[in-house]
Amino acid sequence: MTEAPLRIASLGTSSIAARRTIPAISAAPDAVLVAVAGRDRDRVAQYAENVGAEALVGYESVLARDDIDAVYVPLPNALHHHWIEACLESGKHVLAEKPLTTSAGATAALVDLAAARGLVLQENFAFLRHGQHRTVRALVNEGRIGELRHFHSEFCFPPLAADDVRYRADLGGGALLDVGVYTVRAAQYFLGDALTVAGAVLDTDSTTGVDLAGSALLVSDDGVIANLSFGFRHAYGSRYGLWGSGARLTLDRAFTPAPEARPVIRIEEQDHIEETLLAAEHQFANAVAAFVAAVRAAESGNPAPDRPGDAASTVRTAELIEQIAQHARRVRTPVSV
């Protein structure tokens, strides 16, 4: 007997969601986008028509619906905590865009609430679902680059439109919460959660108070150094590298590979360069599939391990982001975006 598809509603009308995660939900064989909720009647009606779902006015309209099993939350960062909590309280599983919330305490509280209610709460770091990272980690663990000494990661892109929500401090904007979180989570993926913040700098807009760029220095419990850079003031870059005692491994387009792109792992030794071409993968489709599988496992009473997005790593990411913000030296940019 074929199981009915997981019925999902989107809480919000994000343009990025419409380009990435919502198409993946719509294309999933075991999920269906039932509805989209928004505050503006005309906007949500047009958005819902474009994605082939029912339009609901008001986020709270999702909560009482018995025909909705799970909610996807692509709202501005500062709204995550309230609405994720409301969804969990109403008995719905949640797939939420990163960061889960804007504070470590709020993140831990949501993780605890989901666990207490037997619900799935997944932070949508889609990049973790791409197989290229498992291949890289296997090569490092096998000793292909020798003993790991240094990790570096960058995720940057050019300035956004002046009215972009990521320039709104009151809505949880800023480069650290938007792209810095990727570099932190990548460091956790390879170095573990036992990381310490050794230093940081945040380039902060003097008018809005929003950080536009930054760097952080972390160290693992076994002494591996991690250099992280992120921002909205650069030429595009999305990559990481692992430097060992015998070789250096780099991966470009690490966080945002196109579904049809075939990643290239580059290993450089003193007198040799080796490149390995991997298979293309759709990381957003993989993320939706992982969410559906986690929900089915939870509903069966036999939840499966979910290492890339587990609760401990989710909370630790929030703690590290908070520590970076607290300890950063702030450089003030004189001209507002």
Side-chain angles (χ1 to χ4, degrees):
M1 182 176 179
T2 303
E3 196 165 18
L6 186 71
R7 300 167 298 181
I8 303 175
S10 176
L11 211 65
T13 54
S14 159
S15 60
I16 293 177
R19 295 196 304 271
R20 303 265 178 89
T21 304
I22 286 180
I25 293 172
S26 299
D30 46 7
V32 60
L33 185 69
V34 173
V36 176
R39 292 177 297 182
D40 183 275
R41 183 179 300 274
D42 293 337
R43 175 177 170 81
V44 73
Q46 185 60 60
Y47 191 100
E49 182 180 351
N50 291 342
V51 300
E54 179 185 355
L56 300 175
V57 179
Y59 302 144
E60 66 282 348
S61 60
V62 168
L63 304 179
R65 290 278 294 259
D66 292 333
D67 61 338
I68 293 172
D69 306 309
V71 181
Y72 168 55
V73 182
L75 295 170
N77 297 333
L79 303 182
H80 283 192
H81 180 214
H82 173 79
W83 288 109
I84 293 172
E85 182 179 55
C87 291
L88 293 172
E89 291 283 8
S90 70
K92 302 189 189 306
H93 306 280
V94 177
L95 173 65
E97 282 304 330
K98 48 78 213 158
L100 198 63
T101 75
T102 57
S103 77
T107 295
L110 290 180
V111 166
D112 289 345
L113 176 61
R117 291 183 169 266
L119 296 168
V120 173
L121 173 59
Q122 184 172 300
E123 189 175 26
N124 196 30
F125 275 111
F127 85 92
L128 292 171
R129 307 295 175 177
H130 199 296
Q132 61 183 341
H133 312 297
R134 293 191 298 274
T135 301
V136 170
R137 189 159 63 180
L139 288 168
V140 174
N141 290 343
E142 291 164 6
R144 180 63 185 81
I145 64 171
E147 187 175 347
L148 181 60
R149 308 289 195 201
H150 208 113
F151 173 81
H152 67 87
S153 180
E154 302 91 36
F155 195 6
C156 302
F157 46 78
L160 305 154
D163 62 350
D164 192 281
V165 69
R166 284 168 284 192
Y167 292 136
R168 293 272 303 271
D170 60 321
L171 292 178
L176 176 58
L177 284 173
D178 190 66
V179 285
V181 289
Y182 285 89
T183 65
V184 170
R185 197 52 173 265
Q188 291 174 255
Y189 184 81
F190 289 106
L191 307 182
D193 289 340
L195 292 164
T196 301
V197 178
V201 176
L202 290 175
D203 184 350
T204 306
D205 182 86
S206 57
T207 301
T208 65
V210 169
D211 51 279
L212 305 177
S215 292
L217 181 67
L218 280 60
V219 61
S220 71
D221 58 354
D222 55 355
V224 179
I225 299 168
N227 288 100
L228 314 177
S229 298
F230 45 89
F232 304 150
R233 312 186 72 207
H234 309 68
Y236 181 83
S238 167
R239 62 181 64 89
Y240 62 67
L242 298 108
W243 205 332
S245 57
R248 181 176 183 175
L249 183 155
T250 55
L251 180 70
D252 204 9
R253 298 273 173 171
F255 303 118
T256 56
E260 69 278 3
R262 299 190 63 186
V264 177
I265 295 175
R266 181 181 176 91
I267 296 178
E268 301 176 50
E269 298 176 83
Q270 185 169 349
D271 56 356
H272 175 73
I273 294 177
E274 173 186 313
E275 291 187 341
T276 302
L277 185 65
L278 304 180
E281 289 188 32
H282 195 316
Q283 64 185 32
F284 290 95
N286 291 351
V288 170
F291 177 66
V292 174
V295 169
R296 295 308 186 204
E299 290 177 342
S300 73
N302 186 30
D306 181 26
R307 177 57 205 168
D310 69 14
S313 292
T314 293
V315 174
R316 187 59 186 147
T317 301
E319 292 172 345
L320 289 168
I321 291 297
E322 200 165 83
Q323 290 166 19
I324 289 169
Q326 290 171 349
H327 293 99
R329 174 180 177 182
R330 294 185 179 265
V331 178
R332 294 284 174 174
T333 300
V335 179
S336 173
V337 297

